[in-house]
């Protein structure tokens, strides 16, 4: 089986996101269930569950809501890619899934700077966090199949 996104990595990603947003560290992250869904223990009520929910909460807490999109369309595109992250990237289970994800991204990004167009958003951050371990483990395998990776071979 190929290196898919590691279950439970979400809690580590959230701690990284917290630091990159300039928030004071100190949130208590845990995991829940067999798939190790991230959980944020809050002081003001029930815990928040899920990577997207917690990440959006952190963005709002940091007062950097532009990372969620600035227009209705951009917000929808950000949400779309966040959902893609947790359903497709985190759910990939083999080399064929990874190949399809990388091909989808390559085709989508051909005429774009960022996932939501011309603005850096939470979707870019969380897709990077999710794809980074896959790219490291699969770089050699896909460098001849994916144009995004063939540049490494030419250097």
């Amino acid at each position: 089986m190929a290196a898919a996104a590691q279950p439970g990595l979400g809690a580590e990603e959230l701690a990284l996101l917290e630091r990159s947003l300039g928030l004071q560290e100190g949130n208590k992250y845990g995991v829940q269930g067999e798939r190790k869904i991230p959980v944020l223990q809050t002081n003001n009520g029930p815990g928040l569950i899920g990577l997207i929910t917690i990440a959006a909460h952190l963005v709002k807490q940091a007062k950097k809501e532009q990372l969620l999109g600035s227009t209705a369309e951009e917000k929808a595109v950000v949400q779309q890619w966040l959902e893609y992250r947790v359903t497709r990237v985190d759910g990939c289970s083999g080399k064929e899934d990874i190949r399809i994800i990388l091909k989808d991204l390559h085709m989508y990004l051909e005429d774009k700077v960022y996932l939501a167009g011309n603005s850096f958003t939470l979707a870019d951050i969380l897709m990077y966090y999710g794809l980074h371990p896959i790219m490291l483990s699969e770089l050699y395998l896909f460098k001849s199949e994916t144009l995004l990776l063939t540049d490494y071979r030419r250097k």
Side-chain angles (χ1 to χ4, degrees):
M1 180 164 108
Q6 302 168 358
L9 195 57
E12 293 174 27
E13 293 176 52
L14 291 167
L16 285 171
L17 178 62
E18 188 177 59
R19 282 194 298 274
S20 71
L21 292 172
L23 294 171
Q24 288 188 347
E25 295 179 40
N27 281 319
K28 303 268 192 237
Y29 299 105
V31 293
Q32 171 180 303
E34 206 173 290
R35 294 206 55 213
K36 301 189 188 284
I37 306 297
V39 177
L40 170 62
Q41 303 302 321
T42 63
N43 294 330
N44 304 337
L48 299 176
I49 301 170
L51 180 66
I52 296 172
T53 301
I54 299 169
H57 168 75
L58 293 175
V59 166
K60 291 174 185 175
Q61 193 176 38
K63 296 181 179 19
K64 296 188 178 183
E65 292 180 357
Q66 72 276 11
L67 290 174
L68 299 174
S70 55
T71 66
E73 182 178 343
E74 194 174 89
K75 289 175 183 183
V77 172
V78 170
Q79 187 63 34
Q80 166 189 298
W81 282 104
L82 293 174
E83 289 175 16
Y84 186 91
R85 160 57 205 275
V86 298
T87 57
R88 299 283 293 143
V89 175
D90 292 355
C92 73
S93 60
K95 292 177 183 177
E96 183 61 17
D97 286 348
I98 295 168
R99 187 189 68 73
I100 290 168
I101 289 167
L102 294 178
K103 187 176 178 181
D104 287 349
L105 284 169
H106 175 69
M107 288 178 11
Y108 181 80
L109 289 169
E110 277 185 331
D111 61 347
K112 294 170 186 62
V113 178
Y114 299 106
L115 289 169
N118 294 318
S119 300
F120 183 73
T121 66
L122 182 61
D124 298 293
I125 297 168
L126 292 187
M127 284 293 285
Y128 171 81
Y129 288 164
L131 289 171
H132 186 258
I134 293 170
M135 296 295 287
L136 287 178
S137 67
E138 300 297 329
L139 180 62
Y140 181 77
L141 174 66
F142 291 112
K143 73 180 178 180
S144 64
E145 294 180 29
T146 306
L147 292 176
L148 288 174
L149 301 177
T150 53
D151 289 20
Y152 289 105
R153 192 169 66 175
R154 291 185 196 138
K155 292 181 182 180

